[in-house]
Amino acid sequence: MRHNYLRFKAVLVFIKGCICLLFCLGSNTLFAQTDTTKKLNEVTIKAGLIPKVQTLTPAQQITSKDFSRLSAFNVADAVRNFSGINIKDYGGIGGLKTISVRSLGANHTAVLFDGIQLNDAQNGQIDLSKFNLNNVQEISLYNGQPADLLQPARSFASASVLSIKTLKPALTVEKPYQFQIGVKGGSFGLLNTNLQWQQRIGNQWAFIANANYVYANGRYKYKVDGDGSDTMAIRRNGEVKSFQTDAAIYWTKSDSSKFNVHVNYYQSNRGLPGAVIFYNPYSSQRLQNNDLFAEATYEHTWQSSLRLLTNTKVSQLKTRYLDPDFLNQQGFLDQHYNQKEAYQSVSIAYHLTPGLEVSYATDASYLKMDADIYNYAYPSRFSLLNVLATNYTKGRLQLQGNLLHTYLQEMVKTGTASQSRSVLSPTLMGSFKTTGNLQLRAFYKSIFRAPTLDELYFYAIVPRTIRPEFVKQYNFGFTWSKNLNNILEYITLTSDAYYNHVTDKILAIPNKNPAIFSFSNLGKVDIKGIDVGLKTQTQTQTQQRNGWYGSLSANYTYQEALDKSDPASSTYKNQIPYTPKHSLALNLGANYKRLGVFYNQVLSSSRYYTGNNTPDYFVPGYTVSDASATYQLKSGKAPVGLALELNNIFNNNYSIIRSYPMPGRSYRLSIQITI
């Protein structure tokens, strides 16, 4: 076993050596060319504004300007209006929040932070409630993958990609710095403070630093279901304290050379309210997180059109789970987990002809997991991904394809390691723009997901047989966009029909303890669905003329996700757990000069918490209405932003996850000052 470990360490050293050699050669000899880029004068272009829409594969984007109208507190709140997604929310400010896209589960969605994947090999799910919005510039959701060929191999290795782009300094010689401070308070004892500092350092360097603190007692009322009364209980053990700090430094020599280093630290201590058991809502479990990662990105474009992208990342995730009332010999349960990863990626892209581009990317990572639990395997995982991609454009036709090779090798100190895997995954995409404003698109993608370390080794007293999960994705859709010359500035309509065929789907069902899941392979699952999106706004000229401005967006999703494993099973052709058939998100906004008023509506149909679609396992549908208002004013030369949010304004009692009641009516007040 030790020989395997040394062998993979040698492979990593070799890969890193090759990367360093490629970088040095690319900078000095092999690709040596004179950088003839010139700084051009700024030109202002006035035209109708259509929001950025990727038409090769389905994509949805929101920017920092949208967060207030969506009443969003964190990344999970911001993306809940996207079509095709299902947010699993365990309730409250500190509740765990994960995203499932097109019923494939959170493990099939890669979450990118400034282009580099946030990885959690322990459970494969990223808790989106950890990420505040104060330093986020844009959030994008791509079904399939982003269209740019120059990206890490991991971006090709998931069924969908959620990309989080942070705010980059936009300073000038006249204004070389910017300070921003904000305070937010509200229901459930919420106190949220944030601070941001941007600084220009000469003509080529700039940095940005952020700090964010959140405290909430997490106590809110909810209705006790099942006792035939109107009894209201109080949700307890939902307290959360978290602190997040983030810093980045950027170097830009020209548009052809860019470099940045990013460091992010997150610390939290929160209670786990647990499932509400009839007449016994008591819970005392605690969860502590200490997450740290540092990443660096270098990008260069040569005059020959050759592009290079390198990404480096190291991370450490520490987790402590405490149950002071656990029934064992010690009378408590105190578990510590430590996950470390080193990651390196190199990507190159080159235009063979003006209409034909090719790219190659390789990613290598080594991850190690430690835990102080009984009979733990202490697993480590080495992964190597290679992808070859090409893009062809001619007139209104665009075709893109790639072939991904995934190699995984695991090692354990105790027990039996899972067998190594080598898988090829192809993807084909195409789009065609008609003579009008219509653009058609289609894609096929075959993707592979290995079981997570928890699925394989967590409390595996005997070797656990969890088979890998394979998905074949099919999608056909269109985008219709038009600039208008009347009251509306533009209108964009998108629609996609999709079919996902899943083999050996791995399903995680939460138990009474939210930190422990039960795992099983369902066998075959067929997922059919339709996503429809509409977006429009009034003309900016109207706003300039009389001060008024309006916007509308709506997203609808239909999903049928059926278990097709065993015709003799009671779950055959039943909807898989926690998958609503219908969901709708609607947002309306009206601005008058410095005042903005917004209304947001989210509806979800009923679902079942097991594979048996019977009344015993029924979870009712829900609707949630939020409203918000913003006002911009100036205190001297410092802009001041005020915001009021009313969430669940009709005080509906509902649960997204069975036995985890969501909060009722609540409010948030915030003030933000920019210097």
Side-chain angles (χ1 to χ4, degrees):
M1 198 67 65
R2 177 173 175 79
H3 293 295
N4 287 336
Y5 174 74
L6 294 175
R7 181 181 66 186
F8 288 114
K9 285 199 71 175
V11 171
L12 276 178
V13 172
F14 172 75
I15 291 172
K16 291 182 178 179
C18 292
I19 290 167
C20 292
L21 178 62
L22 175 63
F23 178 78
C24 293
L25 290 175
S27 300
N28 297 286
T29 58
L30 182 61
F31 306 118
Q33 296 188 29
T34 302
D35 191 344
T36 59
T37 57
K38 297 181 180 180
K39 186 175 180 181
L40 301 178
N41 294 328
E42 181 177 334
V43 177
T44 302
I45 300 175
K46 296 182 179 180
L49 176 63
I50 295 180
K52 182 176 64 176
V53 177
Q54 178 178 330
T55 54
L56 193 59
T57 59
Q60 303 168 75
Q61 292 94 12
I62 55 175
T63 67
S64 56
K65 296 180 180 179
D66 301 314
F67 298 154
S68 60
R69 69 180 180 86
L70 295 172
S71 298
F73 184 72
N74 50 43
V75 170
D77 295 337
V79 302
R80 63 177 178 164
N81 278 44
F82 285 163
S83 61
I85 71 140
N86 184 18
I87 297 290
K88 290 189 175 181
D89 191 335
Y90 291 85
I93 295 293
L96 303 176
K97 297 173 177 62
T98 61
I99 182 174
S100 173
V101 180
R102 294 184 171 181
S103 301
L104 292 176
N107 304 74
H108 275 289
T109 301
V111 180
L112 306 185
F113 191 87
D114 281 339
I116 302 179
Q117 184 176 353
L118 299 171
N119 191 34
D120 189 338
Q122 180 183 359
N123 57 43
Q125 302 183 17
I126 302 300
D127 180 9
L128 298 180
S129 69
K130 291 181 178 181
F131 300 97
N132 68 84
L133 297 171
N134 297 314
N135 68 325
V136 175
Q137 178 64 38
E138 180 183 272
I139 304 175
S140 304
L141 176 66
Y142 302 96
N143 294 110
Q145 62 203 36
D148 189 4
L149 293 190
L150 190 69
Q151 55 184 331
R154 279 183 172 179
S155 299
F156 295 86
S158 297
S160 58
V161 172
L162 183 69
S163 174
I164 303 171
K165 293 185 178 180
T166 60
L167 187 67
K168 295 177 175 56
L171 303 170
T172 63
V173 176
E174 291 76 18
K175 187 175 182 180
Y177 68 89
Q178 178 175 290
F179 292 96
Q180 192 175 85
I181 184 170
V183 179
K184 182 177 294 187
S187 302
F188 323 131
L190 172 66
L191 174 62
N192 173 211
T193 60
N194 62 82
L195 178 66
Q196 182 182 100
W197 176 23
Q198 298 184 36
Q199 183 68 52
R200 177 186 171 99
I201 309 174
N203 294 326
Q204 298 178 349
W205 292 88
F207 79 84
I208 182 172
N210 299 273
N212 187 75
Y213 172 78
V214 176
Y215 169 79
N217 59 40
R219 292 192 293 269
Y220 56 87
K221 293 183 179 181
Y222 66 94
K223 183 180 180 298
V224 179
D225 293 325
D227 64 353
S229 70
D230 293 329
T231 303
M232 299 295 290
I234 296 178
R235 194 71 159 138
R236 301 187 184 277
N237 196 41
E239 176 188 345
V240 58
K241 294 180 181 178
S242 71
F243 174 74
Q244 187 173 46
T245 183
D246 181 275
I249 186 167
Y250 295 87
W251 172 80
T252 304
K253 181 180 179 182
S254 63
D255 289 341
S256 61
S257 294
K258 300 176 183 179
F259 172 76
N260 70 80
V261 177
H262 210 125
V263 179
N264 186 286
Y265 174 71
Y266 173 82
Q267 180 187 59
S268 72
N269 185 350
R270 50 184 163 177
L272 298 176
V276 175
I277 307 300
F278 199 42
Y279 294 122
N280 184 26
Y282 176 75
S283 176
S284 58
Q285 293 95 341
R286 307 289 300 181
L287 184 67
Q288 297 177 9
N289 295 96
N290 282 277
D291 301 345
L292 174 67
F293 69 81
E295 59 185 41
T297 298
Y298 173 74
E299 183 176 354
H300 186 82
T301 301
W302 283 269
Q303 192 178 17
S304 63
S305 81
L306 179 66
R307 297 188 292 159
L308 170 69
L309 175 67
T310 66
N311 290 296
T312 304
K313 180 183 176 183
V314 291
S315 64
Q316 177 174 269
L317 310 179
K318 289 185 177 181
T319 305
R320 180 192 182 194
Y321 172 74
L322 175 64
D323 186 349
D325 300 315
F326 194 79
L327 299 177
N328 58 5
Q329 292 182 350
Q330 292 79 19
F332 66 91
L333 191 65
D334 192 3
Q335 299 175 340
H336 299 78
Y337 305 87
N338 190 0
Q339 182 180 162
K340 297 179 180 179
E341 183 186 30
Y343 165 79
Q344 180 66 59
S345 171
V346 175
S347 309
I348 57 174
Y350 182 71
H351 276 279
L352 296 175
T353 68
L356 180 61
E357 185 181 21
V358 295
S359 73
Y360 173 75
T362 180
D363 290 12
S365 71
Y366 178 77
L367 184 141
K368 183 180 179 182
M369 187 74 195
D370 293 324
D372 58 355
I373 62 177
Y374 172 72
N375 199 38
Y376 194 58
Y378 300 96
S380 58
R381 174 178 288 177
F382 171 77
S383 64
L384 182 64
L385 285 76
N386 292 275
V387 61
L388 181 65
T390 182
N391 183 83
Y392 175 74
T393 304
K394 185 175 179 60
R396 297 191 296 268
L397 176 67
Q398 183 179 4
L399 299 174
Q400 192 175 113
N402 65 262
L403 184 63
L404 169 71
H405 177 257
T406 303
Y407 174 77
L408 298 175
Q409 175 71 50
E410 293 176 5
M411 295 151 284
V412 296
K413 291 184 178 180
T414 61
T416 304
S418 177
Q419 64 180 2
S420 61
R421 299 181 178 91
S422 180
V423 180
L424 287 173
S425 305
T427 300
L428 295 172
M429 301 182 292
S431 70
F432 180 77
K433 186 173 183 179
T434 65
T435 54
N437 301 297
L438 181 67
Q439 187 147 7
L440 306 177
R441 60 173 167 265
F443 78 82
Y444 162 79
K445 184 168 186 174
S446 175
I447 204 61
F448 153 82
R449 176 177 90 78
T452 67
L453 299 183
D454 269 4
E455 292 166 345
L456 289 171
Y457 305 111
F458 186 66
Y459 277 112
I461 306 301
V462 296
R464 187 176 293 161
T465 304
I466 302 294
R467 298 181 298 276
E469 180 176 307
F470 291 86
V471 178
K472 294 186 183 298
Q473 298 175 270
Y474 304 85
N475 185 98
F476 178 79
F478 70 87
T479 295
W480 182 82
S481 299
K482 185 175 177 61
N483 278 320
L484 304 174
N485 297 320
N486 47 29
I487 298 177
L488 298 180
E489 182 171 7
Y490 71 85
I491 183 169
T492 298
L493 176 66
T494 63
S495 182
D496 287 272
Y498 56 88
Y499 169 65
N500 300 329
H501 179 69
V502 186
T503 305
D504 287 331
K505 181 174 178 61
I506 303 172
L507 195 67
I509 303 296
N511 295 317
K512 178 182 177 181
N513 180 351
I516 300 177
F517 291 76
S518 60
F519 303 100
S520 63
N521 285 104
L522 275 183
K524 297 179 181 179
V525 176
D526 279 345
I527 303 169
K528 301 175 183 177
I530 297 175
D531 293 339
V532 180
L534 172 68
K535 193 169 186 178
T536 186
Q537 69 180 35
T538 59
Q539 286 204 15
T540 53
Q541 289 84 355
T542 304
Q543 182 185 20
Q544 295 171 357
R545 185 168 58 251
N546 55 31
W548 286 100
Y549 169 84
S551 62
L552 165 68
S553 65
N555 289 304
Y556 167 77
T557 297
Y558 169 80
Q559 292 184 99
E560 183 184 72
L562 303 182
D563 179 3
K564 294 291 188 70
S565 304
D566 182 5
S569 171
S570 62
T571 63
Y572 185 67
K573 289 189 176 181
N574 281 358
Q575 193 89 340
I576 63 175
Y578 292 111
T579 305
K581 283 193 173 183
H582 304 276
S583 60
L584 175 67
L586 176 69
N587 186 271
L588 295 167
N591 295 71
Y592 178 70
K593 296 182 179 179
R594 297 180 180 179
L595 174 67
V597 179
F598 310 98
Y599 176 80
N600 197 70
Q601 180 90 41
V602 176
L603 301 95
S604 176
S605 64
S606 59
R607 56 220 176 279
Y608 298 88
Y609 66 88
T610 72
N612 288 298
N613 295 175
T614 62
D616 293 337
Y617 307 105
F618 181 79
V619 180
Y622 64 88
T623 176
V624 179
S625 302
D626 305 321
S628 60
T630 62
Y631 187 77
Q632 303 295 325
L633 55 89
K634 280 195 174 183
S635 176
K637 294 183 179 181
V640 178
L642 305 174
L644 168 65
E645 302 172 22
L646 294 176
N647 301 312
N648 195 0
I649 56 180
F650 298 113
N651 202 31
N652 290 334
N653 186 74
Y654 71 103
S655 296
I656 297 177
I657 302 297
R658 176 182 177 266
S659 301
Y660 288 84
M662 297 293 290
R665 184 185 298 114
S666 64
Y667 74 92
R668 290 195 292 261
L669 289 168
S670 64
I671 179 172
Q672 184 170 278
I673 303 174
T674 303
I675 302 175

